[in-house]
Amino acid sequence: MKYINNNLSVEKIKIEDIAKKFGTPTYCYSYKKLKDNINNFKNNFKSFSPLICFAIKSNTNVNLIKEIRKLGLGADVVSMGELMVALKAGIEPKKIVFSGVGKTVTEIGFAIDKKILLINAESKSEIVEIERIAKSKKITVNIGIRLNPNTDAKTLKQISTGKKENKFGVDEKVFFDLVDYAKLSKNIKLKCLSVHIGSQILDHKPYKKMLNVINKIIKRSNYNFEFIDLGGGMGISYEKTNKKLNYQKYNMAINKFLKDHKSKIIFEPGRSIVGNIGSLISKVLYIKENEKKDFIILDAAMNDLMRPALYGANHKTLPVIKTNQVSKKIYEFVGPICESTDKFTTLKKFQKLNEKDLIVMCDTGAYGMSLSSNYNLRPKAAEVLIKGSKINVIKKRQKLEELI
Ligand code: LLP
């Protein structure tokens, strides 16, 4: 996104034109940025050409996933819905992995029937269930076991998943038991060790630690894993001050690991693929003056973008038309929902705003639309994908009739 003649634009399209044509709030994605992110991701790890499975949970738009598939990625899914959307987008089953701590019988059966690459199991009970279903279908199913490496990802506690107090994966002892169990089974074939220690990770050191842990465990288990699934979690810069993940160092650590293990690496990135391709366009409905600050009441709310309310996340906010007039008041950007947590950000010295002005909240391509809800019976926003000078509506705004 950049200003062209003071008009914030995505590729060759003015955001103002998107708002005029499709209304607000609207999520807007850049195809070019998507392509760049995927190419960069591939380049960062090209020495061992991993299987890159896009974490569908970060953005579930079928039309966007189709583009991601055309750029060569597979999918990481965590529910039957996500598996269905991945298949509908044309992703080959042999490029799909299924994670999650609570897969139902129906979900497991569906995944088996679709012959996906791996079901990454997260408990002994789940493995027994997969085995039982596979036996009833008289087939052998390829599985992975998710290890909890008890590694601190040094990220927000709400999005940390790799410590022993987290519900994810199994500990070392159970892991060894399960490897032995799988060896004796006729209906499950253990092919993968998987891990995922958390999200929005900006320091390569937790990844290095995680690799050391799995290196030791694989050696002790004396088992040949065809795949090692390292999960996702690669962070992005939401603010200028944010440091960047050092991919080179992460890549080096993986290369070192691969000297001892001849396995195919799988990644499950979400945010690093789609986070910075999207922004949420919103209109100022009202400006309410308050003693210390002005409330900028937007037409987007926490149901459209949950991250600030849920994690205290801050998304860079920009005016769509730049004027260079600075406000003397502090602005608190809020939505219309009846909750005090329906608040996006508080900013000093923002450009002076008027009612009906447009703003965007940046870097909302991951866990923006996918976390949205119909709270307060608000219809979900529209989604558009910009490709050069073309605007493609990839999801229409939800209609109230669909909800009531
Ligand atoms: N694999 C597994 C097993 C996961 O649980 C996740 C994310 C990913 C891959 C993708 O992680 P990523 O590359 O996107 O960091 N709603 C939160 C993020 C929750 C992440 C959940 N799991 C947020 O908005 O920050």
Side-chain angles (χ1 to χ4, degrees), residues 144-157:
I145 303 174
R146 178 160 172 188
L147 172 79
N148 183 320
N150 194 21
T151 307
D152 189 348
K154 301 261 186 283
T155 180
L156 279 176
K157 78 169 187 324

Side-chain angles (χ1 to χ4, degrees), residues 55 57 76 146 159 196 199 233 268-271 307 311 367:
K57 66 169 79 67
D76 157 54
R146 178 160 172 188
I159 52 176
H196 171 79
S199 196
E268 304 170 353
R271 193 190 312 267
R307 302 193 71 257
Y311 316 110
Y367 308 107

Side-chain angles (χ1 to χ4, degrees), residues 134-337:
K135 197 170 173 189
S136 72
K137 292 180 186 282
K138 299 191 176 58
I139 52 166
T140 304
V141 175
N142 296 331
I143 65 157
I145 303 174
R146 178 160 172 188
L147 172 79
N148 183 320
N150 194 21
T151 307
D152 189 348
K154 301 261 186 283
T155 180
L156 279 176
K157 78 169 187 324
Q158 299 98 314
I159 52 176
S160 285
T161 49
K163 290 205 73 192
K164 64 171 184 261
E165 59 266 31
N166 301 127
K167 68 180 174 186
F168 303 97
V170 298
D171 66 22
E172 196 178 314
K173 189 182 162 300
V174 177
F175 185 83
F176 292 130
D177 290 350
L178 290 179
V179 173
D180 289 341
Y181 183 88
K183 275 184 196 160
L184 300 174
S185 171
K186 288 194 186 67
N187 297 99
I188 48 178
K189 174 133 189 61
L190 177 58
K191 289 205 158 191
C192 177
L193 180 161
S194 84
V195 280
H196 171 79
I197 56 173
S199 196
Q200 185 52 15
I201 299 171
L202 290 166
D203 182 354
H204 68 280
K205 288 196 269 321
Y207 282 129
K208 231 172 135 178
K209 271 197 195 148
M210 165 189 99
L211 285 164
N212 283 336
V213 173
I214 54 182
N215 178 31
K216 281 191 200 127
I217 287 180
I218 297 172
K219 283 182 178 160
R220 267 187 61 197
S221 72
N222 199 21
Y223 190 85
N224 210 352
F225 290 94
E226 187 177 332
F227 300 99
I228 301 290
D229 181 343
L230 297 175
M234 297 80 171
I236 61 168
S237 301
Y238 284 103
E239 283 153 72
K240 272 197 194 125
T241 49
N242 260 176
K243 57 176 182 179
K244 283 201 170 83
L245 176 67
N246 189 330
Y247 278 90
Q248 219 182 342
K249 289 201 170 144
Y250 188 20
N251 177 58
M252 266 159 54
I254 298 171
N255 273 306
K256 190 171 158 232
F257 170 89
L258 286 174
K259 285 198 177 118
D260 290 342
H261 310 280
K262 302 278 162 274
S263 309
K264 173 98 175 163
I265 297 289
I266 300 176
F267 285 120
E268 304 170 353
R271 193 190 312 267
S272 50
I273 303 297
V274 293
N276 63 5
I277 73 165
S279 24
L280 177 58
I281 313 169
S282 179
K283 190 171 74 183
V284 178
L285 294 176
Y286 302 109
I287 298 180
K288 179 150 81 171
E289 292 189 12
N290 181 280
E291 200 184 331
K292 293 209 171 103
K293 57 192 174 190
D294 282 359
F295 291 108
I296 306 297
I297 303 171
L298 301 173
D299 64 357
M302 66 192 281
N303 76 300
D304 301 299
L305 178 63
M306 274 282 269
R307 302 193 71 257
L310 211 50
Y311 316 110
N314 195 33
H315 287 272
K316 192 166 72 191
T317 302
L318 298 172
V320 168
I321 310 287
K322 203 154 64 175
T323 63
N324 295 326
Q325 268 183 292
V326 179
S327 167
K328 291 192 184 83
K329 295 286 290 280
I330 294 173
Y331 282 165
E332 186 163 306
F333 292 82
V334 301
I337 282 184

Side-chain angles (χ1 to χ4, degrees), residues 359-376:
I359 60 104
V360 299
M361 287 177 264
C362 303
D363 306 318
T364 47
Y367 308 107
M369 189 64 176
S370 69
L371 265 171
S372 69
S373 78
N374 292 118
Y375 188 39
N376 279 202

